[in-house]
Amino acid sequence: MNKQPSLFGGAMIIAGTVIGAGMLANPTATSGIWFAGSLLVLLYTWFSMLTSGLMILEANTHYPHGANFDTMVKDLLGRPWNIVNGLSVAFVLYLLTYAYITAGGGLTAGALGGLLPAPSPDGAPLWMGQLLFALVFAGCVWWSARLVDRFTSILIGGLVLSFIWATGGLIGSAKLPVLLDSAAPADTSYWIFVGAALPVCLASFGFHGNVSSLLKYFRGDARKVSRALWGGTLIALVVYALWQLAVQGNLPRSAFGPVIAAEGKVGVLIAELSKFTATGSMAQILAFFSYTAIASSFLGVTLGLFDYITDLFGFDDSRAGRSKAALITFLPPLLFSLRWPGGFVTVIAYVGLVATVWTALTPAALLYAARKKFGTGRGYSVYGGYGMMLWVLLFGLANIAAMVLGMMGKLPVFAG
């Protein structure tokens, strides 16, 4: 008898996808609006992104297990929008896969240095780390969603332990006057910097490529998928809030200038924090945290891409079908990573802008079209009705406006 997939495992897949190493930049990106503002923006973004994911879930219940964006969008919104949506899904997920192979491969190569026949303090060659990282974790996705569930649960366990270890002392030493920015002049502006914070927070809650994968994994049990989405994203929200508390409760807003100038680099952040509180071995622990975050995000992102490719090309769930999907999923980003390991930096700025298409605009439109065609979901309906569809649509448009204005240099930018 086949064992039922666990709700805990599903939540871990979502939490692992959402919590990436990029979260380390959140305190810097939200330093303009500071602690209270950052919590409000994170809460607003979490609720909006969770709701849009649940909209995809309801629309998905009207289609066979395994149906993904390609099937739903083509049927409900037409071929032209399906092309736009498909290109945006492929762009974001392939680019993230490429970036994770590069970053995870670099960390793996560094760890392999001491295991070589002639140990190297500089680590093994980058290509060796990239290949090992990609083969091990891609193999998990190729094998089954259940193995992704197991690996992600282990990685999230390591992530949470390393996070608590790294930030426990900082959370304990957080000071209320620093959190409230009590030393700031009375006319200090905060909310004028919200536009710069919104896109970063949106990128911190991306899991939408996994909704169809989870519905297939849970054999059509939409309510279980819904609980997994709630649980996984809430775990991420708590981790983000604690990280904001740890950093913005110790490093004053007025002292963020060097960190902002260094674009949020963790080494600079820790160096500035050490001027105000003891940081101990935080750098080494956060390196381990980054690895577990990158690996768990890689598993979640590529599971979504793998299932999207399977639906797009109509592959079956046999080993042959899964092998074809795996080659299309993993080979292009691996080859690009081996050939151009730093190339993603030139296009990574566009990930948030393009992701908004299929994490906000498409979900609202899908649910509207699905309810017109089918009525409410089969045993599952997302809350809120047309008002919530409008909420998610406006959330997406607000983020697009913020990103476009930011690229044009028209947004106020906090410099510390």
Side-chain angles (χ1 to χ4, degrees):
M1 184 174 179
N2 290 331
K3 186 179 178 182
Q4 289 292 319
S6 72
L7 176 60
F8 175 80
M12 289 303 99
I13 289 175
I14 295 300
T17 305
V18 171
I19 304 173
M23 68 157 276
L24 299 176
N26 279 357
T28 305
T30 60
S31 57
I33 55 175
W34 205 235
F35 184 67
S38 70
L39 292 187
L40 287 174
V41 171
L42 282 169
L43 189 64
Y44 165 64
T45 303
W46 162 77
F47 177 73
S48 302
M49 292 288 274
L50 170 65
T51 302
S52 67
L54 295 173
M55 289 176 174
I56 296 171
L57 174 61
E58 182 181 330
N60 215 161
T61 60
H62 298 290
Y63 296 89
H65 301 171
N68 208 291
F69 272 115
D70 184 66
T71 296
M72 292 187 290
V73 177
K74 189 187 301 176
D75 183 49
L76 293 173
L77 303 180
R79 185 172 294 277
W81 189 253
N82 186 46
I83 292 172
V84 171
N85 191 77
L87 289 173
S88 70
V89 170
F91 176 82
V92 172
L93 296 186
Y94 270 120
L95 185 59
L96 288 176
T97 302
Y98 165 42
Y100 288 142
I101 289 174
T102 303
L107 292 171
T108 303
L112 285 174
L115 304 177
L116 295 173
S120 167
D122 298 324
L126 178 59
W127 65 264
M128 189 181 295
Q130 291 169 312
L131 282 175
L132 182 60
F133 180 88
L135 288 173
V136 170
F137 293 109
C140 294
V141 176
W142 169 79
W143 188 259
S144 70
R146 184 177 291 276
L147 190 57
V148 172
D149 165 344
R150 298 292 182 267
F151 256 75
T152 304
S153 297
I154 294 168
L155 289 167
I156 288 292
L159 183 151
V160 169
L161 287 174
S162 61
F163 179 80
I164 293 171
W165 189 8
T167 63
L170 291 179
I171 291 171
S173 65
K175 304 166 190 69
L176 189 59
V178 178
L179 289 171
L180 298 177
D181 198 24
S182 301
D187 61 346
T188 299
S189 298
Y190 296 93
W191 285 106
I192 62 169
F193 302 111
V194 69
L198 274 173
V200 178
C201 292
L202 179 145
S204 299
F205 285 102
F207 63 87
H208 298 65
N210 296 96
V211 175
S212 298
S213 301
L214 281 189
L215 190 60
K216 176 183 175 184
Y217 181 47
F218 285 124
R219 300 164 195 169
D221 190 338
R223 296 192 181 280
K224 204 168 186 179
V225 176
S226 173
R227 291 195 290 272
L229 298 185
W230 275 92
T233 56
L234 275 171
I235 290 170
L237 180 64
V238 170
V239 168
Y240 293 161
L242 290 175
W243 179 237
Q244 296 290 119
L245 174 64
V247 176
Q248 294 184 349
N250 289 282
L251 183 61
R253 183 174 184 262
S254 58
F256 252 90
V259 185
I260 295 169
E263 299 182 339
K265 288 181 181 176
V266 175
V268 177
L269 175 61
I270 294 172
E272 293 303 311
L273 272 170
S274 65
K275 297 176 182 177
F276 298 90
T277 188
T279 54
S281 56
M282 189 177 172
Q284 292 81 3
I285 303 166
L286 284 180
F288 178 73
F289 170 88
S290 296
Y291 192 85
T292 57
I294 289 167
S296 60
S297 292
F298 177 85
L299 287 172
V301 164
T302 56
L303 177 63
L305 179 58
F306 179 90
D307 285 335
Y308 176 74
I309 293 294
T310 298
D311 179 49
L312 180 65
F313 290 99
F315 295 137
D316 59 27
D317 205 37
S318 66
R319 285 298 166 204
R322 293 183 71 83
S323 296
K324 293 174 188 174
L327 281 174
I328 298 173
T329 300
F330 296 107
L331 194 57
L334 174 60
L335 292 176
F336 269 86
S337 180
L338 291 169
R339 180 64 182 85
W340 297 286
F344 69 89
V345 174
T346 59
V347 287
I348 198 75
Y350 298 98
V351 165
L353 180 64
V354 177
T356 308
V357 172
W358 56 279
T359 61
L361 306 186
T362 292
L366 273 179
L367 185 60
Y368 178 80
R371 288 193 176 178
K372 283 189 68 175
K373 183 171 183 175
F374 302 111
T376 54
R378 296 175 187 171
Y380 177 78
S381 297
V382 69
Y383 47 79
Y386 293 115
M388 201 52 67
M389 296 178 209
L390 181 61
W391 173 287
V392 169
L393 182 64
L394 292 176
F395 166 77
L397 293 175
N399 272 274
I400 289 173
M403 285 180 251
V404 171
L405 290 172
M407 290 174 184
M408 295 170 61
K410 302 295 185 182
L411 280 182
V413 178
F414 179 66

